[in-house]
Amino acid sequence: MKDTASILILYTGGTIGMVHDPSTGMLVPFNFKHIEQQVPELQRFDCRIDTISFDPLIDSSDISPESWQKMAGLIEANYHSYDGFVILHGTDTMAYSASALSFMLENLEKPVIFTGSQLPIGMIRTDGKENLIGAIEIAASHDNRKTTVPEVCIFFENYLRRGNRTTKFSSEHFNAFDSPNYPPLAEAGINIKFNHNLIITPTVRKNLRVSMNLDSNISILKIFPGFNKEAVQKFFYNSPTRAIIIESYGTGNGPSAEWYIDTIRDYISRGGLVLNITQCYSGRVDMSIYETGRKLTEAGVISGHDITAEAAVTKLMYLLGNYDDAGIIKTLLNRSLRGEISP
Ligand code: ASP
């Protein structure tokens, strides 16, 4: 890394750059020039900042695996020309995108920092300015020519969090993201204080490998007391998917009804994978505590440990896209690949 860092901003869309359409009153995306005009501070950074905008710009509710491939491809194409990357992204699916990129960018040695805002950057009370400035500062941060955070992260409202540990928990607060099972990697106050011991830094240097293969042939079932037997059976028996994530209660528990366990067992015996995650905001799956959990383990259900739903979805897409062998996928689901779980 040179003394003066170079940063590439990928502008994908999201509220941060939106303006009100005078004819409808709705928020619609606007070009990066608008952001530059609102944040003249960008000129004052002691680093080179270039930008690539998605065309068209998208509301992140329209994000898809193809968008992740586009982001990963742009990072790969520009990897050697920049010291760090900032991705401006809508908040709605930011945690999915950050999780997906964390798996796709193998052997990452440079920061990829997602940010956005709850209020458009043109509004007086916007949170976008500080988020953008902080994200650039973090992406450019280095010590002794070594980058500080060689990870895919989300920087939002003063906190830097590992992307695949993060979830959007508020549609209202400026502090919209949390990583309930992993502490922030940094906190921005007067200074940005990094928790160096929590940041993953590669021990052996390897070339970046970008894995473009994603298989989205999965679905999620969130259980609730009184769920309809027929609907759940149809969900499993007619499923064209290769994997189903179950959002269970507490430490990974579900009903003990024979039909429920049999339905899951049958799906697994037909080659499907079932990953058990918790609907709780924080904490982890431990199927060894209750009888209901034990039955799921016996049926072949895999523990999601303390994974977020966003990381579970994208890790499965990544693994199914890269491996056919269910045994290997199972092993890798139980292993932390990018710090997404503490098994
Ligand atoms: N719907 C917007 C998006 O995710 C919300 C936001 O950016 O905060 O693109």
Side-chain angles (χ1 to χ4, degrees):
M1 188 177 218
K2 294 183 218 74
D3 287 337
T4 310
S6 52
I7 301 300
L8 179 63
I9 298 178
L10 300 185
Y11 175 36
T12 69
T15 295
I16 190 162
M18 288 187 181
V19 292
H20 282 102
D21 178 336
S23 60
T24 62
M26 309 285 278
L27 282 171
V28 289
F30 211 64
N31 60 30
F32 193 75
K33 273 262 154 304
H34 167 67
I35 297 182
E36 278 178 327
Q37 278 160 6
Q38 301 298 329
V39 194
E41 292 85 347
L42 289 177
Q43 309 296 329
R44 292 175 35 207
F45 266 105
D46 183 23
C47 59
R48 180 180 127 219
I49 302 175
D50 294 329
T51 311
I52 296 178
S53 293
F54 266 33
D55 184 14
L57 294 165
I58 46 178
D59 185 300
S60 80
S61 308
D62 281 323
I63 286 285
S64 64
E66 289 72 41
S67 321
W68 299 334
Q69 285 159 345
K70 196 166 157 183
M71 291 176 210
L74 284 168
I75 290 174
E76 183 176 32
N78 291 284
Y79 194 67
H80 297 294
S81 308
Y82 293 92
D83 299 307
F85 300 84
V86 170
I87 304 189
L88 290 183
H89 194 290
T91 58
D92 287 345
T93 59
M94 193 185 288
Y96 286 93
S97 295
S99 300
L101 261 73
S102 77
F103 297 116
M104 295 168 79
L105 302 174
E106 299 170 8
N107 310 323
L108 184 69
E109 291 183 338
K110 297 188 178 185
V112 175
I113 314 296
F114 279 79
T115 195
S117 69
Q118 292 282 61
L119 282 179
I121 208 142
M123 290 180 75
I124 294 178
R125 290 178 58 245
T126 187
D127 50 329
K129 238 179 171 184
E130 275 173 48
N131 288 348
L132 174 57
I133 290 170
I136 295 173
E137 215 170 300
I138 289 165
S141 165
H142 59 281
D143 189 18
N144 235 341
R145 301 195 171 208
K146 270 188 78 185
T147 192
T148 313
V149 195
E151 287 206 46
V152 179
C153 299
I154 290 181
F155 178 73
F156 217 87
E157 191 64 7
N158 296 328
Y159 288 100
L160 181 75
R161 302 178 188 280
R162 179 170 300 148
N164 58 34
R165 288 286 195 163
T166 304
T167 194
K168 180 177 178 182
F169 80 101
S170 174
S171 58
E172 164 74 16
H173 298 146
F174 282 138
N175 191 9
F177 290 89
D178 195 9
S179 50
N181 287 332
Y182 203 77
L185 303 185
E187 189 178 343
I190 293 175
N191 297 304
I192 299 178
K193 283 201 187 122
F194 291 94
N195 293 318
H196 293 282
N197 55 332
L198 299 174
I199 297 168
I200 299 173
T201 38
T203 40
V204 191
R205 293 209 62 180
K206 289 190 190 151
N207 289 337
L208 177 77
R209 195 178 159 265
V210 180
S211 171
M212 290 290 186
N213 304 330
L214 297 170
D215 184 348
S216 56
N217 209 2
I218 59 177
S219 56
I220 299 198
L221 172 73
K222 180 167 185 165
I223 62 168
F224 57 91
F227 58 65
N228 183 289
K229 175 178 174 182
E230 222 181 303
V232 170
Q233 284 181 329
K234 280 217 169 103
F235 188 83
F236 278 93
Y237 286 118
N238 295 344
S239 180
T241 55
R242 289 175 67 196
I244 290 178
I245 297 166
I246 305 182
E247 278 197 38
S248 297
Y249 310 130
T251 52
N253 308 304
S256 54
E258 280 289 303
W259 73 263
Y260 179 66
I261 310 291
D262 286 347
T263 305
I264 293 171
R265 189 183 294 115
D266 179 82
Y267 177 78
I268 294 170
S269 71
R270 284 183 284 117
L273 290 162
V274 177
L275 182 67
N276 193 12
I277 68 173
T278 176
Q279 352 187 310
C280 289
Y281 178 63
S282 66
R284 57 189 303 113
V285 165
D286 182 348
M287 295 191 283
S288 68
I289 300 179
Y290 299 99
E291 181 61 11
T292 47
R294 188 185 60 80
K295 283 187 177 170
L296 289 173
T297 308
E298 276 174 13
V301 172
I302 308 156
S303 170
H305 304 280
D306 55 352
I307 200 163
T308 61
E310 293 89 336
V313 165
T314 51
K315 184 174 181 179
L316 268 171
M317 285 190 192
Y318 164 78
L319 292 177
L320 294 176
N322 284 287
Y323 303 94
D324 289 324
D325 187 308
I328 295 180
I329 297 176
K330 221 170 159 173
T331 305
L332 295 176
L333 282 169
N334 274 305
R335 195 179 286 166
S336 167
L337 304 183
R338 313 277 187 268
E340 74 282 4
I341 52 171
S342 308

